[in-house]
Amino acid sequence: MDFSNDSRWICQFPPSLAVEGESCYTEMSRMGTNRLLFCTMIYAPYRMLMPRYPQKALYSMEEGKYFFLPESHRYRDLPVQPTPSTDFDGRDLLAEAVHGARKAGISPGAWLTSFASGLLAKSHPQWAIQNLYGSADRLFLCFNNPEVREYTFRVCSEIAGRYEIDELMLDKIPQHCIESECMAGGRLDPVVRTMASICCCPHCTAAAAVDGIDLQECRQKAIMLCAEFMKMSQHVLNARGYELLGDTGVPLLLVDHPWVLDLLRFRINAVRGVLTEVRKHLNDIRPDVKLSIAFVPPITSGHDAAQPRSWLAAQSYAGYKDADADIIHSVIHQDPKSVEYDTRRAVDAVADGHVEIVTHVRACGSTNPLEIGDL
């Protein structure tokens, strides 16, 4: 297999840079890496196992904190400001990453989580998604909330304006799809997961009205649909757990209740509007910066705890083929056959649009290094 003309991205988490230093960029260059996507903030306190670094072999990432040094004056009129990391002695790791990549001949990019932050959702719940029952989410932020959008635009503008990046990749836009299992063995079927993942806050209600949708009327219909599910015994649902994954049951939901499809399309249109605004801000500062978005695979269930399929998370590939983004990163963390199938489906979905597809493969965990070529 000839890899001589391929383009290789790599995603880097801050601890590896902080511990290993600039030698990591020499190694990336040796591997033929073309572009680095540096994680500027992680939305949840993931625990990392790093056996290469015995002095920091187990590390819990800081939830919602940034690995660069934000300029507070940019956010002074907003109720919250970006909180910098406290783990690395005040170092600006994004600046170090950009410098190290450039020095090694690698194109630097910034990976930014946009609409998920456990820190902000918990400390500022009025920014969080509000579900059917008025409960604020503890991780995902509402992309129709004007303050959330303005905050996002300013973080994007600061990163693009202060750092010599070639790409800004937005993650979690929106990808909100609640998990299939709740505490103490409670299981949700795909219909409830779909309906309960739609934000019903006043900002979404107002935005939906512009699209001709009465969101509060839809909310009442959704509560009635979910009430049917609530009558089901939990031991029955748990016994069928393996069948109640991904989008099982959702096609029938859309056939029986077409207004649900209108809600999903509304979410897609709202996110497209966000991308248009981000692109405008970038054009004012660095029009040469590529704007990219990270999606779960088009067909296979995602790899994280929520495990959505793309359409349940308002991530229709065809829906963004002509949006104001240059690249869609398809995060396919599965086996080679899934990588081939989902990549082909993603490429076909955007064939008559202008976006480029980049496939992410899992080069860690259970993946044997010898398997990476097949991936």
Side-chain angles (χ1 to χ4, degrees):
M1 189 176 295
D2 180 14
F3 291 108
S4 59
N5 294 318
D6 69 351
S7 182
R8 305 180 195 178
W9 275 252
I10 191 168
C11 295
Q12 183 187 41
F13 286 94
S16 61
L17 165 60
V19 176
E20 191 168 349
E22 289 199 6
S23 62
C24 64
Y25 301 104
T26 304
E27 185 67 13
M28 290 180 195
S29 179
R30 187 187 67 80
M31 293 188 302
T33 301
N34 304 103
R35 177 162 295 173
L36 162 72
L37 290 176
F38 181 80
C39 176
T40 61
M41 183 271 273
I42 198 70
Y43 48 90
Y46 288 125
R47 195 181 312 280
M48 300 186 72
L49 173 62
M50 302 184 292
R52 287 182 60 188
Y53 314 123
Q55 68 272 47
K56 212 173 187 67
L58 277 177
Y59 173 69
S60 183
M61 295 192 71
E62 296 169 283
E63 181 181 53
K65 293 186 177 181
Y66 291 83
F67 299 103
F68 68 97
L69 303 179
E71 296 176 340
S72 60
H73 68 85
R74 295 172 179 265
Y75 310 91
R76 72 180 94 196
D77 58 329
L78 293 178
V80 297
Q81 297 187 359
T83 304
S85 165
T86 56
D87 278 358
F88 301 104
D89 300 321
R91 292 167 62 182
D92 189 327
L93 295 178
L94 176 57
E96 294 181 31
V98 171
H99 171 77
R102 291 279 182 202
K103 186 177 178 181
I106 300 170
S107 169
W111 160 18
L112 176 65
T113 302
S114 44
F115 294 116
S117 169
L119 178 64
L120 288 180
K122 293 166 189 168
S123 64
H124 209 63
Q126 56 268 48
W127 280 19
I129 283 176
Q130 312 288 321
N131 74 10
L132 296 176
Y133 307 99
S135 177
D137 200 78
R138 306 305 177 189
L139 178 59
F140 287 92
L141 308 177
C142 175
F143 47 89
N144 281 313
N145 184 312
E147 289 184 341
V148 173
R149 290 168 78 122
E150 183 61 29
Y151 175 86
T152 300
F153 300 151
R154 294 192 195 184
V155 174
C156 290
S157 296
E158 178 173 13
I159 290 175
R162 291 181 55 201
Y163 301 92
E164 194 184 353
I165 59 171
D166 294 329
E167 178 183 349
L168 180 64
M169 183 185 79
L170 302 183
D171 193 10
K172 297 296 180 287
I173 55 156
Q175 203 173 315
H176 179 240
C177 188
I178 61 175
E179 62 277 10
S180 58
E181 294 186 14
C182 301
M183 184 177 177
R187 179 172 285 277
L188 303 178
D189 78 346
V191 171
V192 176
R193 292 182 64 211
T194 302
M195 302 313 307
S197 295
I198 296 171
C199 182
C200 297
C201 77
H203 305 292
C204 285
T205 299
V210 175
D211 278 12
I213 296 173
D214 186 335
L215 185 59
Q216 292 307 312
E217 180 183 340
C218 292
R219 172 175 172 260
Q220 293 304 319
K221 292 179 183 177
I223 289 175
M224 293 179 65
L225 283 175
C226 292
E228 297 174 6
F229 154 82
M230 298 298 177
K231 298 175 185 176
M232 194 76 65
S233 298
Q234 276 295 312
H235 70 273
V236 173
L237 291 166
N238 276 277
R240 296 195 64 236
Y242 69 95
E243 297 175 351
L244 300 176
L245 299 174
D247 52 7
T248 307
V250 176
L252 182 60
L253 171 70
L254 300 182
V255 169
D256 291 346
H257 307 281
W259 54 270
V260 177
L261 182 57
D262 292 336
L263 287 178
L264 293 176
R265 286 174 173 156
F266 155 66
R267 295 181 76 197
I268 291 172
N269 288 337
V271 176
R272 285 171 57 94
V274 170
L275 295 177
T276 296
E277 289 297 317
V278 171
R279 184 70 263 174
K280 288 179 181 177
H281 283 76
L282 294 180
N283 287 344
D284 290 339
I285 303 167
R286 294 272 311 285
D288 58 320
V289 171
K290 297 283 188 181
L291 178 60
S292 61
I293 50 182
F295 277 8
V296 294
I299 304 299
T300 309
S301 290
H303 65 281
D304 58 11
Q307 296 235 335
R309 296 197 195 257
S310 59
W311 66 332
L312 300 187
Q315 292 188 350
S316 159
Y317 280 68
Y320 297 89
K321 64 185 178 182
D322 58 351
D324 285 301
D326 302 293
I327 300 167
I328 296 178
H329 290 260
S330 188
V331 186
I332 310 174
H333 282 183
Q334 280 86 26
D335 60 276
K337 295 297 186 294
S338 294
V339 169
E340 179 177 354
Y341 185 80
D342 278 283
T343 301
R344 289 185 183 277
R345 292 298 298 268
V347 170
D348 290 343
V350 304
D352 57 345
H354 67 261
V355 298
E356 175 185 355
I357 295 294
V358 172
T359 294
H360 287 216
V361 299
R362 182 183 59 202
C364 59
S366 61
T367 301
N368 186 319
L370 299 177
E371 299 171 340
I372 292 177
D374 289 337
L375 288 172

